[in-house]
Amino acid sequence: MTVYLPIAEISVNVFALLAMGGVVGLLSGLFGVGGGFLMTPLLIFFGIPPIVAVATQANQIVATSVSGSLAHWRRGNVDLAMGGMLLAGGIVGSSGGVWLFSYLREIGQIDLVIKGSFVLFLGTIGTLMLIESVKSFIKRRRGASPQKRRHYWIHSLPLKMKFRKSGIYVSALLPIAIGGLIGFLVAIMGIGGGFIMVPAMIYLLGMPTIMVVGTSLFQIIFVTANVTFLQAATNSNVDLVLAVILMAGGIIGAQFGARWGNRLNAEALRILLSALVLMVCVKLVYDLVATPVDLYTVVIGG
Amino acid sequence: MSAIHPTLNRARFRVLATFLAGLANLGTSATQAQTPRQPIVVEVAQPQIEIDIGFKGSDLLIFGQVEAGTDVIVVVRGETRTETVRRKERFFGVWTTGKSRTFITVPSFYALASSRPIDHLFPDESALQRYELSPQNINFTPLDIVPGDPTTDIFREALISNKSGQGLYDDQHYNVKFLSDQLFRTTMYMPANVPIGRYTVRLYMVRSDRVVAQRETYFIVDKVGIEEKVYRFAHEHGVLYGLFAVVLALLAGWLVTLFFRRGP
């Protein structure tokens, strides 16, 4: 069954899209990550214009992060003070990101910047994940050794604040800066950013692991909502029909993923995921470097 | 197409029947006005092509009447608009967007059908250029006129080949069929990506190397249904659309938690 996407302006097979949303949702359920970092490039491979893929994906992440953070909220695992600081930075960063997005679109370089950002991002994440998961795979066989907490220069920044729920005392500038940087990426790439946010919260802020996922998801709701709103208002590139199809697929996939996650070998799966991330990265690099079939593109307007 | 849209086809025949009946009347009134000539007309079977959510392209039936012993050229054109052609250039191995040229008179769609190949109808190129017959002869006006700049021609060629690649420019049809020595019909394919707007259908009647008569009609291509509502909502009320998209996603996420909480 084909459906015409009103904003992307192409006809697509609705079952193929549902399946894609489902598989990415399944992966995010299995690994506890948002999946936006895989979904946006897959949508681009599917033929959705990159600018529509990014904005629509942000819209879809609003839905998945609401259901995710509600579950954490009920268990009391959301640090509102910390979430608020991250969010303050996130709103500024993501608004700046949408502004830059519009500018790059005007000068015709946005597709390149989106794809280039994904190459850098997926390349780094995929490599780190692969090394990490192979290491822990080996470590588990030898018996793990406990990790030490280190002291960085960032812990001596001014404007220190007490975050009671997380039981930490750090400079407010730190979460604002982290939120800002990741918010910027949310706008340009259509990802939730949990993938970078979670390690940053653990290693840079020193937050307890139990608070990290809920708090990260909490601020993702508002940052992606801000991006969706600004993109729709300035670039008219949020495709509601596409968003609904992706939400349906993603939500169902994530629920099954979360259930199956406990029964499967996590390390082996993580190696598979990193291989998948690297494959998507390689395909993006190929598309950027290979000589295009048509060297010319045509856009409406001057 | 006829197998997919039997109702549409029936509608077309009804129009054709009305048209033929009308022709008979016109013929009599013409004789009364002491003009022995038959009227020259062109008409489309569907005055409106509707792009709905399942739109996969559509055939457009065009028919009409000319004088006996003449040739027929039919040109369908979309609305004229400004378009920019951008060239990709290698930058440290990566393809980036480089030079561009803007043309201010680009038809969004162009299709030509004729009873014989058009270069057989005229002795030289001048008529083809004057009447803009075939995409190569469309008068694309560059925004910044650089006289004698050869790159403008390269960009013009690139524009034509890009549009042809998308199925939006086409001149390879010699399928104007005569049903009698005066009555003709032809079909043109409007692809799934056909731009919305007002389309003109121009008939050129050709006799002995010259265009001796022209007639014009039009039809509308528009989006309908959910498709149309979403498109207009997004483009005309961006702020509200953005709020709606956010609220919809919040609700969807919340409902899912309710639903799956009850599960095992």
Side-chain angles (χ1 to χ4, degrees), chain B residues 162-173:
Chain B
N162 182 288
K163 295 280 180 187
S164 306
Q166 291 185 63
L168 297 177
Y169 282 7
D170 199 356
D171 64 344
Q172 299 302 310
H173 295 294

Side-chain angles (χ1 to χ4, degrees), chain A residues 9-266:
Chain A
E9 303 200 40
I10 58 161
S11 280
V12 290
N13 186 318
V14 69
F15 297 113
L17 268 183
L18 270 177
M20 213 163 80
V23 169
V24 173
L26 189 71
L27 287 173
S28 62
L30 282 173
F31 299 105
V33 293
F37 65 97
L38 274 179
M39 201 61 191
T40 310
L42 287 178
L43 287 174
I44 294 172
F45 297 159
F46 208 76
I48 312 284
I51 64 159
V52 177
V54 166
T56 307
Q57 189 50 33
N59 191 16
Q60 195 239 336
I61 295 169
V62 174
T64 48
S65 51
V66 165
S67 56
S69 65
L70 273 177
H72 286 276
W73 178 265
R74 271 187 223 108
R75 287 180 225 129
N77 295 342
V78 177
D79 182 339
L80 274 184
M82 181 57 84
M85 286 298 145
L86 289 166
L87 185 53
I91 295 291
V92 174
S94 60
S95 303
V98 174
W99 177 82
L100 183 72
F101 189 100
S102 309
Y103 172 71
L104 288 168
R105 184 190 178 186
E106 221 162 84
I107 63 166
Q109 302 291 7
I110 188 65
D111 288 9
L112 175 73
V113 171
I114 292 172
K115 288 177 188 167
S117 310
F118 270 104
V119 168
L120 286 178
F121 180 72
L122 294 179
T124 315
I125 297 287
T127 312
L128 287 177
M129 260 176 64
L130 193 64
I131 295 170
E132 238 271 338
S133 50
V134 169
K135 261 189 192 162
S136 73
F137 194 73
I138 296 164
K139 221 184 256 173
R140 208 172 62 135
R141 299 197 158 179
R142 287 184 188 159
S145 58
Q147 269 190 318
K148 275 183 225 159
R149 186 170 286 182
R150 289 183 205 127
H151 193 89
Y152 298 98
W153 60 268
I154 41 175
H155 292 137
S156 45
L157 281 171
L159 288 170
K160 283 210 170 192
M161 248 181 92
K162 211 165 231 142
F163 294 95
R164 284 224 182 77
K165 194 122 195 198
S166 302
I168 53 167
Y169 184 61
V170 290
S171 163
L173 293 177
L174 202 53
I176 291 176
I178 293 171
L181 274 175
I182 296 173
F184 186 77
L185 293 179
V186 172
I188 301 286
M189 300 167 75
I191 56 174
F195 225 65
I196 322 169
M197 183 63 86
V198 168
M201 287 161 95
I202 295 174
Y203 297 115
L204 296 181
L205 299 177
M207 277 176 73
T209 322
I210 191 159
M211 287 290 164
V212 163
V213 178
T215 309
S216 160
L217 280 172
F218 166 78
Q219 62 87 37
I220 286 174
I221 301 174
F222 299 98
V223 174
T224 50
N226 182 47
V227 168
T228 306
F229 173 71
L230 290 178
Q231 290 279 25
T234 57
N235 292 315
S236 302
N237 54 347
V238 176
D239 196 311
L240 270 180
V241 177
L242 178 61
V244 168
I245 297 171
L246 293 178
M247 279 177 206
I251 282 163
I252 295 165
Q255 297 296 331
F256 284 104
R259 274 165 218 204
W260 295 346
N262 304 330
R263 294 185 227 152
L264 300 168
N265 180 343

Side-chain angles (χ1 to χ4, degrees), chain B residues 13 16 19-20 23 61-66 175-186:
Chain B
F13 279 119
L16 186 60
F19 169 72
L20 288 173
L23 276 185
L61 174 67
I62 299 164
F63 53 88
Q65 178 170 269
V66 287
N175 62 347
V176 172
K177 297 275 180 288
F178 278 97
L179 306 172
S180 70
D181 56 352
Q182 294 176 340
L183 212 56
F184 72 88
R185 60 160 282 169
T186 185

